[in-house]
Amino acid sequence: MLDTLNKTDLLLAALSALLSLAPEQHRARAAEILDTIADVTKSAVSVSNQAGDFADKLAALRADIDAMNERGVTVADMDEALARVRTASAIFRAASESAAAQSA
Amino acid sequence: MRHPLRAFVLGCALAATPACASFPFGNAQIENPISAAEGADRQAYAVLQTYAVLIEEAADIVRDPEAPAALKRALAQAERVTTPAAETLGLAVRAYASARADLAATPNDDSAVSRFAIAARHLGEALETAQGPLGELEALVRAQQN
């Protein structure tokens, strides 16, 4: 449980950054969403070693970006990135629907 | 501001601060991919890939039977809003990369020049949209720290 809450601290930190990409009419909901999350995670204490997986993924991505600075972004790079987002989103939504069905 | 929310926003502001190459978070050192990116196209690519990492992590959370149902619902709500926005940014970068490649192949083609200019403008607008509210968040964090 603590693992989940600590990971959520990191996840939502960056997710809130992406909320700013949303159209303005949806952006007001960000505060509402974050308040909800703050309510349900108020028992969380501090961030711990559990940030490791997340840190590893970002370190790998950082290395990719450093290499990419030598050559620039190609259409193939963007197709790969968009495919990764769409795949991650589809997996997330399936997991979310499954979780919602189980709790119903 | 309650502590967990402040931690979210602080992490967000740090991750989005271009001057911050890495920062400690708990016992982990978080590398900032976005700060390493040079140029609008690489910066947008870094934002998109970082977002993909976040959603991969979010899937682990919603699968956890011990995670609170309200948290799972909040994550689902956030994902529904942010994924289309991230895709929009990604498509703008793709169009920019494509137009740049066309221009490199046919530098004397006026239509290639025009397509590149339009794509560059769209990409700049997409990034500007993303960065403006981040500054507001950072100011909010600083206000809470004082």
Side-chain angles (χ1 to χ4, degrees):
Chain A
M1 183 62 185
L2 188 59
D3 180 15
T4 296
L5 290 171
N6 287 333
K7 191 182 280 187
T8 304
D9 253 0
L10 282 171
L11 171 67
L12 269 296
L15 190 59
S16 61
L18 271 296
L19 282 171
S20 66
L21 289 167
E24 192 168 350
Q25 65 267 29
H26 296 306
R27 222 177 282 152
R29 303 206 63 179
E32 183 187 329
I33 292 167
L34 290 174
D35 271 345
T36 301
I37 292 163
D39 283 341
V40 298
T41 61
K42 60 189 173 190
S43 61
V45 281
S46 61
V47 177
S48 72
N49 289 332
Q50 306 302 332
D53 287 350
F54 187 67
D56 288 346
K57 284 186 177 183
L58 289 185
L61 179 55
R62 170 69 188 259
D64 283 348
I65 296 296
D66 285 339
M68 188 169 284
N69 283 331
E70 302 291 322
R71 59 175 177 82
V73 178
T74 66
V75 171
D77 292 328
M78 288 315 303
D79 285 343
E80 182 188 340
L82 282 165
R84 185 177 182 184
V85 168
R86 288 167 181 154
T87 299
S89 173
I91 290 171
F92 172 85
R93 289 181 186 194
S96 183
E97 286 170 11
S98 175
Q102 285 172 6
S103 67
Chain B
M1 188 187 291
R2 285 159 292 192
H3 171 69
L5 181 56
R6 187 166 67 177
F8 299 157
V9 181
L10 177 61
C12 153
L14 287 173
T17 301
C20 183
S22 68
F23 55 91
F25 210 91
N27 292 326
Q29 187 71 16
I30 302 292
E31 295 290 333
N32 185 345
I34 300 169
S35 76
E38 297 170 1
D41 57 339
R42 277 152 282 190
Q43 194 176 16
Y45 173 86
V47 168
L48 202 63
Q49 286 280 17
T50 301
Y51 181 66
V53 170
L54 296 175
I55 296 303
E56 288 164 5
E57 295 295 309
D60 288 344
I61 291 173
V62 299
R63 283 192 202 102
D64 185 344
E66 293 185 24
L71 171 61
K72 295 178 183 180
R73 285 195 298 273
L75 283 172
Q77 194 177 16
E79 191 276 337
R80 279 196 299 273
V81 173
T82 51
T83 293
E87 280 200 62
T88 299
L89 179 62
L91 291 172
V93 184
R94 189 187 188 285
Y96 175 86
S98 176
R100 186 179 55 195
D102 287 348
L103 183 61
T106 56
N108 297 320
D109 181 346
D110 287 345
S111 66
V113 172
S114 177
R115 283 197 301 275
F116 179 71
I118 292 169
R121 192 178 73 240
H122 285 168
L123 177 58
E125 289 168 354
L127 277 173
E128 193 175 332
T129 299
Q131 288 169 349
L134 287 177
E136 295 171 18
L137 279 174
E138 192 172 7
L140 177 62
V141 170
R142 287 185 176 151
Q144 292 296 325
Q145 288 174 318
N146 293 330

